[in-house]
């Protein structure tokens, strides 16, 4: 009955469709997703070409309402954060798994509100409207279907089984008379993916270029909203839906479709590294290796500084994000910056002492114990020499601000990733890491490692003079079955200097090439070595680790999970990644059918959770 009452509210959300479609309570109509429409349309026909932009923006306003909940659930339940004495009780309950239906950040309604308005749009949108040979409404039509699929995926991630419907609910009688099936993730995927498949390769709408309709953002320049990143590419959603259910073949194919459709150059060309002197000055590292070349190993050629992803207004690595208001008077504001200790909405934005979310000790151990690869003094004009030392991954140090209290000797840590009002759903790095996860489970752990080490580039498929850790069968697959580097696509990744593995972002010189020269074994970051360290770690924890391919796949999955922590930390997706990986470990059956559950439970033991997380049924929130 509770689930029925939640859905009953949906009729309220669809009464007014248009400019003020999803604005609730005290939210002003003159907000950041203003479409310059003054219409408030009741039971609209959606038969005009210009309707699409107004209704799509209305649905995006619904996404704003769920943004904080998505990020807080995804981060507080993960293993990268800890609470403090200042933590809001709603966040504390999420962190220790004691949340009830009274929790502020537990609401299925915010997702169903989006779904119901998507259903209405899909049911009533006239997709035959054309300008010349162009079907002018199809981009928005497909984008809305992708948003609906993403919202249902999130509901299944959060609640396990949820009521499913695709008809618009506009009358209470429709709810009272209906018998909606309750579907889990597999059921939702089976219902939605057959329809979505026909839209693979579709491009997102850009409200600025397609309709000359730029959403306003309070008193901020419209360019800061980046309207091309307001929607979710259908191939990315399909990839995630299939990855959630263990269909690694289809997941990989759709991630590759996105990357090869949208890519003109490798999109992970970021590096947060420093010269020897810069590192000493920036990080306070006093004991640096004596053979570190003082003149080398700054930011690599053609790379952007990794931390600039989160501070630049140019988008850089973004695929999709939810923008929130820059003023509480101008739309839906976010509580995320304040939770991380930054009062964005103060008259003069500033850091505050009442930090509610801080990095966990396990996360700090991971980042501080990581090897950093650097150029040595043995380097000459014609050849590089690379070594490594446990100096830590530079990504963490680049996204924090520290201050030590002289009286208490307490060090306060502010995470600067979350000092702006936006919630990132997808970056290209996210897609690469999810692709690595899929390729690994398909048996190509060498290709998965390449995404971390070298990036996607031609050297992976060159038999002589290329990456020797890539197996012949993997080379063949990358040019045929999973055609990242097929004859049609290889040119999209041909700029050698712009090819960066994800681990290069903060791990230093991990790749084996410079310019047009590939030197196998150049970097200490090598496939057999790094996977071997993970296997040894598992063995030390009491597992009967063997030398089979499945052992290597499991170890590689742990490496990917670690890389997700280093790359995507504090972005609101950690809990969803952990649950998915734990489920796949259970399904694989290696080291026991509940290995994944125990793996997850150990990662979160430091929280003293109120529930036994070795039981997958306790991974879900009560439906509210």
């Amino acid at each position: 009955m509770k689930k029925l009452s939640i859905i009953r509210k949906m009729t309220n959300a669809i009464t007014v469709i248009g400019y003020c479609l999803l604005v609730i309570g005290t939210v002003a109509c003159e907000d950041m997703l203003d479409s310059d429409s003054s219409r408030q349309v009741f039971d609209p026909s959606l038969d005009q070409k210009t309707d699409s932009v107004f209704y799509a923006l209305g649905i995006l306003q619904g996404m704003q309402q769920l943004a904080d909940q998505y990020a807080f659930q995804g981060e507080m339940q993960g293993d990268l954060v800890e609470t403090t004495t200042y933590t809001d009780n709603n966040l504390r309950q999420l962190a220790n798994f004691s949340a009830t239906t009274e929790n502020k950040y537990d609401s299925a309604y915010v997702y169903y509100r989006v779904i119901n308005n998507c259903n209405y749009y899909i049911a009533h949108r006239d997709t035959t409207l054309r300008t010349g040979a162009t079907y002018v409404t199809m981009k928005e039509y497909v984008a809305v279907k992708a948003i609906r699929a993403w919202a249902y995926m999130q509901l299944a991630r959060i609640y396990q089984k949820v009521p499913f419907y695709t008809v618009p609910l506009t009358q209470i009688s429709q709810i009272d008379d209906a018998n909606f099936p309750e579907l889990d993730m597999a059921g939702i995927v089976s219902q939605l993916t057959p329809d979505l498949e026909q839209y693979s390769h579709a491009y997102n709408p850009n409200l600025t270029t397609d309709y000359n309709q730029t959403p306003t953002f309070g008193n901020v320049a419209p360019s800061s909203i980046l309207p091309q990143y307001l929607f979710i590419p259908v191939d990315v959603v399909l990839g995630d839906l299939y990855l959630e259910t263990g269909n690694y073949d289809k997941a990989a194919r759709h991630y590759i479709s996105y990357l090869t459709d949208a890519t003109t150059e490798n999109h992970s060309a970021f590096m947060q590294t420093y010269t020897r002197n810069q590192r000493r000055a920036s990080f306070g590292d006093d004991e640096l290796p004596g053979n570190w070349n003082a003149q080398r190993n700054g930011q690599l050629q053609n790379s952007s500084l990794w931390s600039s992803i989160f501070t630049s207004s140019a988008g850089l690595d973004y695929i999709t994000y939810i923008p929130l208001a820059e003023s509480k008077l101008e739309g839906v504001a976010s509580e995320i910056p304040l939770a991380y200790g930054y009062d964005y909405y103060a008259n003069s934005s500033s850091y505050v002492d009442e930090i509610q979310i801080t990095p966990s000790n396990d996360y700090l151990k991971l980042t501080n114990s990581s090897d950093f690869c650097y150029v040595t003094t043995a380097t000459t004009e014609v050849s590089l020499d690379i070594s490594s030392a446990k100096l830590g991954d530079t990504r963490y140090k680049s996204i924090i601000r520290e201050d030590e209290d002289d009286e208490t000797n307490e060090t306060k840590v502010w995470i600067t990733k979350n000092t702006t009002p936006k919630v990132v759903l997808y970056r290209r790095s996210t897609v690469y890491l999810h692709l690595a996860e899929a390729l690994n489970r398909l048996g190509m752990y060498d290709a998965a490692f390449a995404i971390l080490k070298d990036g996607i580039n031609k050297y992976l498929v060159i038999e002589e003079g290329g990456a020797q850790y890539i197996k012949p069968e993997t080379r063949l697959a990358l040019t045929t079955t999973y055609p990242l580097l097929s004859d049609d696509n290889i040119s999209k990744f041909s700029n050698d200097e712009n090819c960066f593995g994800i681990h290069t972002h903060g791990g230093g010189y991990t790749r084996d090439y410079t310019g047009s020269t590939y030197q196998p074994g150049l970097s200490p970051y090598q496939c057999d070595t790094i996977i071997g360290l993970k296997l040894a770690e598992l063995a030390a924890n009491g597992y009967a680790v063997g030398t089979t391919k499945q052992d290597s796949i499991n170890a590689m999955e742990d490496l990917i999970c670690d890389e997700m922590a280093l790359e995507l930390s504090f972005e609101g997706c950690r809990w969803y990644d952990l649950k998915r990986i734990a489920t796949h470990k259970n399904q694989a059956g290696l080291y026991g059918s509940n290995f994944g559950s125990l793996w997850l439970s150990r990662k979160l033991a430091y929280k003293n959770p109120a529930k036994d997380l070795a039981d997958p049924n306790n991974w879900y929130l009560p439906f509210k």
Side-chain angles (χ1 to χ4, degrees), residues 40 64 67 196 280 283 323 368 414 437 459 477 485 536 538 623:
Q40 293 188 13
Q64 291 177 308
L196 286 176
R280 179 181 286 116
F283 294 173
N368 290 331
W414 295 270
E437 190 181 335
Y459 296 121
L485 296 170
L538 283 165
F623 189 93

Side-chain angles (χ1 to χ4, degrees), residues 36-145:
D36 294 329
S37 168
S38 59
R39 297 178 305 165
Q40 293 188 13
V41 183
F42 292 82
D43 195 25
S45 60
L46 282 168
D47 57 1
Q48 300 298 313
K49 293 179 182 179
T50 55
D51 286 338
S52 276
V53 63
F54 303 130
Y55 290 72
L57 286 173
I59 291 168
L60 292 177
Q61 286 175 322
M63 293 289 283
Q64 291 177 308
Q65 299 285 343
L66 61 80
D68 277 13
Q69 175 175 300
Y70 162 84
F72 281 140
Q73 286 181 354
E75 211 56 58
M76 297 309 297
Q77 296 179 98
D79 61 334
L80 307 183
V81 301
E82 290 184 355
T83 58
T84 73
T85 57
Y86 301 109
T87 305
D88 176 88
N89 197 45
N90 293 285
L91 298 179
R92 192 182 306 280
Q93 290 171 358
L94 288 176
N96 65 20
F97 294 87
S98 65
T100 68
T101 55
E102 300 303 312
N103 191 280
K104 175 181 178 180
Y105 299 111
D106 177 10
S107 172
Y109 172 50
V110 293
Y111 286 97
Y112 276 113
R113 181 171 49 209
V114 170
I115 288 168
N116 200 43
N117 283 287
C118 288
N119 287 343
Y120 190 95
Y121 180 97
I122 292 165
H124 293 87
R125 181 67 231 159
D126 184 353
T127 59
T128 66
L129 299 174
R130 295 192 300 177
T131 296
T134 301
Y135 289 92
V136 296
T137 65
M138 282 304 296
K139 283 185 178 181
E140 286 76 24
Y141 183 77
V142 174
V144 168
K145 285 193 170 185

Side-chain angles (χ1 to χ4, degrees), residues 80 189 242 244 246 248 279 420 438 469 521 528 536 599:
L80 307 183
V189 169
Y242 287 127
E244 288 283 339
Y248 307 115
R279 179 145 189 168
T420 57
Y469 63 90
D528 289 345
W599 172 87

Side-chain angles (χ1 to χ4, degrees), residues 107-302:
S107 172
Y109 172 50
V110 293
Y111 286 97
Y112 276 113
R113 181 171 49 209
V114 170
I115 288 168
N116 200 43
N117 283 287
C118 288
N119 287 343
Y120 190 95
Y121 180 97
I122 292 165
H124 293 87
R125 181 67 231 159
D126 184 353
T127 59
T128 66
L129 299 174
R130 295 192 300 177
T131 296
T134 301
Y135 289 92
V136 296
T137 65
M138 282 304 296
K139 283 185 178 181
E140 286 76 24
Y141 183 77
V142 174
V144 168
K145 285 193 170 185
I147 289 174
R148 180 177 68 177
W150 179 86
Y152 265 125
M153 178 175 67
Q154 281 304 120
L155 283 171
R157 283 172 166 174
I158 299 165
Y159 300 111
Q160 191 171 19
K161 281 190 174 184
V162 295
F164 180 85
Y165 64 97
T166 56
V167 295
L169 305 181
T170 58
Q171 303 293 330
I172 294 294
S173 60
Q174 291 178 276
I175 302 171
D176 293 337
D177 296 340
N179 183 22
F180 299 118
E182 290 194 10
L183 301 183
D184 60 8
M185 186 70 74
I188 287 170
V189 169
S190 68
Q191 287 292 318
L192 293 179
T193 55
D195 174 63
L196 286 176
E197 283 283 2
Q198 66 183 306
Y199 305 114
S200 178
H201 303 280
Y203 285 93
N204 275 354
N206 184 324
L207 302 181
T208 300
T209 59
D210 293 344
Y211 291 99
N212 195 28
Q213 290 284 342
T214 300
T216 59
F217 196 81
N219 58 0
V220 179
S223 59
S224 297
I225 290 190
L226 306 174
Q228 65 270 35
Y229 303 130
L230 297 179
F231 299 94
I232 308 170
V234 68
D235 277 307
V236 173
V237 174
L238 279 166
D240 271 10
L241 287 168
Y242 287 127
L243 188 63
E244 288 283 339
T245 51
N247 191 332
Y248 307 115
D249 171 73
K250 287 189 176 180
R253 291 174 187 270
H254 281 288
Y255 293 137
I256 290 169
S257 291
Y258 170 76
L259 291 170
T260 53
D261 280 348
T263 304
T264 56
E265 61 182 9
N266 189 285
H267 284 290
S268 64
F270 301 99
M271 192 175 190
Q272 192 75 35
T273 187
Y274 298 87
T275 65
R276 178 186 173 92
N277 290 337
Q278 286 174 325
R279 179 145 189 168
R280 179 181 286 116
S282 299
F283 294 173
D285 293 334
D286 294 323
E287 298 181 6
L288 295 173
N291 68 338
W292 189 332
N293 190 323
Q295 306 304 316
R296 299 293 296 270
N297 217 52
Q299 193 176 328
L300 290 182
Q301 183 180 356
N302 293 337

